[in-house]
Amino acid sequence: MKWRGVVAVLLLAASMPLAVAQSDLKRPSSTDQYIPRLGDIMSAALSQHQKLWLAGKAQNWQLAAYELGQLESSLAEAAMQYSGIPVSNVTTLKDPLQSVSDAIAAKDGRKFAKALGDLTEGCNSCHSSMNRSFIAIRVPTGREPFANQMFPPQRKP
Ligand code: HEC
C-alpha cells in the first residue's frame, strides 16, 4: 500500500513538465523555509570563487559577471541568515567586490586578477577573525576542484 503511494508520486513527478519558469526559481516566501548551513553556503562560495576566476581567465566576461552575482548572493545570504557574522567583516568585501565588477565591465584581465586577489584576502581575513584561519582560500591554481583552498596547516595569524 505504502509503496503504491510512492510509485504514484514518482509517476506524477515524471509527468510534470521539465521546463521550469524563471519565477519558480525564487525562494518560497513561507516562514518555515529551509535555511542552508553556513558551511554549505561557504562551500558554494568556494566553487563560485573558482568559477569566477576561471571565467575571467578565459575572458568570458558574461560568465564572470554571472558567477560574481552568485558569489555576492552567497555572501549576502551568509550575513543575513547568520547574525553571528560581524557585519563589518562582510562590508570590508564591498570594495574588492566592486573592483572585480569594474574589471569585468572594463574587460580588463589585469585589473581582474588584482581585484580577485584582494577579494581572496577578504575571505581569509574574515576566516581568521572568526578563529577559522585553518580555512585558507587562495587564488585558484587551476580548474581541479578545491584548487582555491589550501590544505596544509596554516601558520597562526
Ligand atoms: C564575513 C565572514 C566570512 C567571509 C567574508 C567569508 N567566509 Fe567563508 N566561512 C566563514 C565562517 C564563519 C566559516 C565557518 C562555518 C562553520 O563553522 O560552519 C566559513 C567557512 C568556509 C569554508 C569551509 C566550508 C566547508 O564546510 O568546508 C569555505 C570553503 C569558505 N568559508 C570559503 C569562503 C570563500 C571562498 C570566501 C570569499 C569569497 C569566504 N569564505 C568568505 C565566514 C566567512
Side-chain angles (χ1 to χ4, degrees):
M1 208 51 198
K2 202 170 157 209
W3 282 106
R4 242 192 239 171
V6 172
V7 170
V9 167
L10 288 177
L11 285 176
L12 186 71
S15 70
M16 287 206 255
L18 283 177
V20 176
Q22 196 64 25
S23 61
D24 291 339
L25 298 175
K26 282 201 188 118
R27 181 198 281 281
S29 56
S30 87
T31 46
D32 56 351
Q33 59 180 251
Y34 167 70
I35 297 180
R37 289 152 62 211
L38 183 54
D40 292 345
I41 300 176
M42 286 293 159
S43 293
L46 184 72
S47 121
Q48 288 148 359
H49 173 265
Q50 185 176 15
K51 288 183 183 185
L52 169 62
W53 169 251
L54 292 171
K57 282 272 282 184
Q59 311 244 320
N60 184 345
W61 301 114
Q62 211 177 359
L63 180 60
Y66 170 79
E67 293 297 345
L68 177 63
Q70 296 291 95
L71 179 59
E72 280 174 331
S73 304
S74 295
L75 295 171
E77 184 171 33
M80 239 157 46
Q81 303 286 3
Y82 291 88
S83 51
I85 296 183
V87 174
S88 60
N89 278 342
V90 183
T91 48
T92 47
L93 282 187
K94 211 175 135 253
D95 288 348
L97 286 169
Q98 186 59 50
S99 306
V100 175
S101 174
D102 292 347
I104 290 172
K107 303 184 173 161
D108 185 329
R110 279 185 55 195
K111 253 197 203 150
F112 175 83
K114 159 90 176 66
L116 201 114
D118 293 344
L119 176 63
T120 307
E121 275 175 32
C123 306
N124 287 330
S125 58
C126 184
H127 292 162
S128 358
S129 78
M130 303 199 71
N131 290 323
R132 282 170 180 79
S133 41
F134 54 87
I135 302 174
I137 309 302
R138 65 178 171 194
V139 172
T141 53
R143 57 182 303 154
E144 67 280 8
F146 311 130
N148 53 344
Q149 187 171 354
M150 288 182 281
F151 292 90
Q154 300 298 305
R155 275 190 301 120
K156 290 250 147 58

